[in-house]
Amino acid sequence: MMIKRTLGLIFLILVTTFFSQDLLTAIIILGWTYRWVGYLVKRRLFRLSPLSNTFTWNQFLIREKNNNQDISNYSYPKLWETPQQIKCLNHPRFKWLHRILYSLKLHFKIGLSGILATLIFTLIPCLLCAYAWYVGWHISFNKMYEQSETGASLGFLGTILFTVIMLYVTLAQARYALTKDWRSFLSFKLIKIWVCHRPLQLFILAISYLFSSFILFIIKIIPVFLPIINPDLESLNSTQALQFLNDYYFWTGIISLGLFFALKMMAGFIYSGVLVETWQKNIVTEYDLHQEEIYYLNKFRFSSNLTYSNQKPIQRIIISSVSIAYRSSLIILIFFTWFLFSFLPFISDFFNYYPQRGFLNQPLVQIPCFRYVPQSLEDNKKRV
């Protein structure tokens, strides 16, 4: 059994990494990741609930099944899902084909909805940064240094906008993983409340994003210095160089995909905790939440109670002042961390420039596609 699970895990890693090598197929992996985050959010909600004092997760599922309840929403998401009702291709020889097509459609739909919702916030800052890079090189090449502030201003504006958006979008993505509704991205007041209630955890998340981005930065620029480390690589023709880079980005794609998955799990962990806390303290009501969130809060028997403090007025003022100073300081640190994260693509593209995708897609935030093979090598292969 252990050998079978190990081989299955290796196969899963290789398949997901293969799909992540192209932007279009990486959307499928994005959708599958969102389903995994949603599953883990439900598991964590159960662990925080009163039901966990009576049942284990498996016992809870058995009870639901015995009560003729649909437990498909609680099962862990497989890469190749089996549809509940097979309406076509129901011949035994074609069941596997229908299963694959159904899974691809399911995950692509979830991933596409998620990336479009993310792009509502991230597209404009990414376009500003990409255009600032183009303007900067144009000014430098034509020695129009008197206009240098144009590119710098656009780049700074794009970086600041992306920084502010990252304060918001990580929890919005985790929320979408549970609701599967792109409109859940647009709850500005609600997510602002959650950010203010989890500054320390969000600071740790921002640091994790920055550290992960630095790892990918190192991986991205390594091919630029490999011919210096190993002069034999300079003798490779275009076909050999393309094969070498394809292999390089495939195996390093495992690292990229692992970091992407871990970061989304961290965001889901934070989201589930703050959802329960703000609900139980009556900070948010059912009018603020999505129907899916209300369903699981009621399903796991979370109560919403308005609690009153027995502290004296002076104590409340002192504690409130300290709390405001503490949260404000952490939010400033979070902002600074996200600013460094947002600025890092400028440095990485300076060493290894990749048109458009280098700025328009951040593989840890948007589509998990980490592959920067020069287009000229692929064009040469097509000509051959």
Side-chain angles (χ1 to χ4, degrees):
M1 181 63 70
M2 183 62 67
I3 296 177
K4 183 179 179 180
R5 289 183 178 179
T6 303
L7 292 176
L9 178 61
I10 294 174
F11 176 76
L12 179 65
I13 292 173
L14 294 178
V15 170
T16 52
T17 304
F18 174 78
F19 275 93
S20 67
Q21 295 300 293
D22 183 79
L23 281 173
L24 188 62
T25 54
I27 295 177
I28 298 171
I29 304 304
L30 177 63
W32 180 66
T33 303
Y34 275 133
R35 292 188 64 227
W36 256 109
V37 176
Y39 167 74
L40 293 178
V41 166
K42 296 169 193 174
R43 288 287 298 264
R44 176 156 166 75
L45 288 176
F46 174 80
R47 291 193 186 101
L48 296 173
S49 72
L51 290 178
S52 62
N53 298 326
T54 308
F55 304 100
T56 65
W57 176 254
N58 290 332
Q59 289 173 343
F60 168 75
L61 296 183
I62 293 173
R63 192 192 71 160
E64 291 294 298
K65 189 174 183 180
N66 291 338
N67 293 334
N68 296 320
Q69 299 293 321
D70 181 17
I71 63 171
S72 60
N73 290 331
Y74 300 104
S75 59
Y76 72 92
K78 301 176 183 178
L79 187 60
W80 309 118
E81 289 287 354
T82 302
Q84 295 180 351
Q85 295 180 352
I86 300 179
K87 299 179 180 180
C88 60
L89 297 176
N90 55 1
H91 191 279
R93 295 182 180 180
F94 296 103
K95 281 186 178 180
W96 63 271
L97 178 60
H98 186 266
R99 185 181 178 185
I100 291 175
L101 293 176
Y102 171 81
S103 301
L104 293 177
K105 178 184 176 181
L106 173 66
H107 294 134
F108 185 82
K109 180 181 178 181
I110 295 173
L112 182 62
S113 179
I115 188 56
L116 290 178
T118 302
L119 287 176
I120 292 175
F121 298 93
T122 61
L123 182 59
I124 291 178
C126 290
L127 285 173
L128 284 173
C129 290
Y131 188 68
W133 181 268
Y134 170 79
V135 170
W137 276 109
H138 179 72
I139 291 173
S140 178
F141 182 79
N142 293 284
K143 303 188 184 304
M144 302 164 58
Y145 300 116
E146 65 278 3
Q147 300 181 13
S148 58
E149 64 275 4
T150 303
S153 300
L154 289 173
F156 182 75
L157 177 61
T159 303
I160 290 294
L161 285 176
F162 197 85
T163 299
V164 174
I165 284 168
M166 288 307 299
L167 288 167
Y168 177 92
V169 81
T170 50
L171 284 180
Q173 288 178 331
R175 190 178 188 223
Y176 169 78
L178 180 67
T179 64
K180 304 299 186 298
D181 185 356
W182 65 270
R183 289 168 293 188
S184 62
F185 266 81
L186 307 178
S187 302
F188 301 103
K189 180 181 177 181
L190 178 63
I191 293 180
K192 184 191 76 172
I193 293 173
W194 288 343
V195 169
C196 292
H197 275 78
R198 282 293 188 272
L200 180 58
Q201 290 183 347
L202 290 174
F203 175 62
I204 295 173
L205 179 64
I207 289 291
S208 301
Y209 264 92
L210 180 61
F211 179 72
S212 301
S213 183
F214 183 75
I215 293 175
L216 296 189
F217 162 74
I218 297 298
I219 293 174
K220 182 180 176 181
I221 68 173
I222 282 177
V224 179
F225 298 99
L226 282 179
I228 301 175
I229 300 172
N230 184 6
D232 293 338
L233 293 176
E234 294 184 354
S235 61
L236 297 179
N237 57 39
S238 59
T239 303
Q240 293 171 330
L242 177 61
Q243 183 61 44
F244 174 82
L245 289 176
N246 281 336
D247 293 341
Y248 175 82
Y249 283 114
F250 178 83
W251 296 112
T252 56
I254 297 176
I255 300 175
S256 171
L257 205 56
L259 292 173
F260 176 83
F261 194 80
L263 292 171
K264 300 306 177 188
M265 296 301 114
M266 288 182 63
F269 180 89
I270 297 170
Y271 159 68
S272 56
V274 74
L275 172 63
V276 171
E277 179 187 338
T278 52
W279 171 260
Q280 290 183 321
K281 291 183 177 180
N282 245 9
I283 298 172
V284 299
T285 65
E286 61 181 16
Y287 300 104
D288 301 314
L289 300 178
H290 191 274
Q291 59 183 2
E292 284 292 308
E293 294 169 320
I294 297 171
Y295 171 79
Y296 288 111
L297 288 171
N298 291 330
K299 188 71 176 179
F300 297 136
R301 299 180 183 177
F302 286 105
S303 60
S304 178
N305 298 317
L306 184 61
T307 57
Y308 296 91
S309 175
N310 294 323
Q311 296 171 342
K312 297 179 180 179
I314 296 179
Q315 290 178 319
R316 288 201 299 268
I317 292 173
I318 294 174
I319 293 174
S320 177
S321 301
V322 172
S323 177
I324 292 173
Y326 166 75
R327 292 178 181 179
S328 300
S329 301
L330 279 175
I331 288 175
I332 292 173
L333 289 175
I334 294 170
F335 182 88
F336 180 71
T337 304
W338 282 124
F339 181 82
L340 294 178
F341 173 85
S342 305
F343 185 74
L344 202 56
F346 284 97
I347 304 175
S348 65
D349 271 44
F350 178 81
F351 289 99
N352 187 2
Y353 176 60
Y354 194 92
Q356 288 83 47
R357 188 189 298 181
F359 286 100
L360 297 184
N361 180 58
Q362 302 300 320
L364 295 177
V365 178
Q366 297 154 318
I367 303 176
C369 179
F370 185 74
R371 183 175 180 271
Y372 300 98
V373 177
Q375 189 63 40
S376 58
L377 290 178
E378 301 198 3
D379 291 340
N380 288 336
K381 181 180 178 180
K382 292 178 181 179
R383 294 191 192 100
V384 174

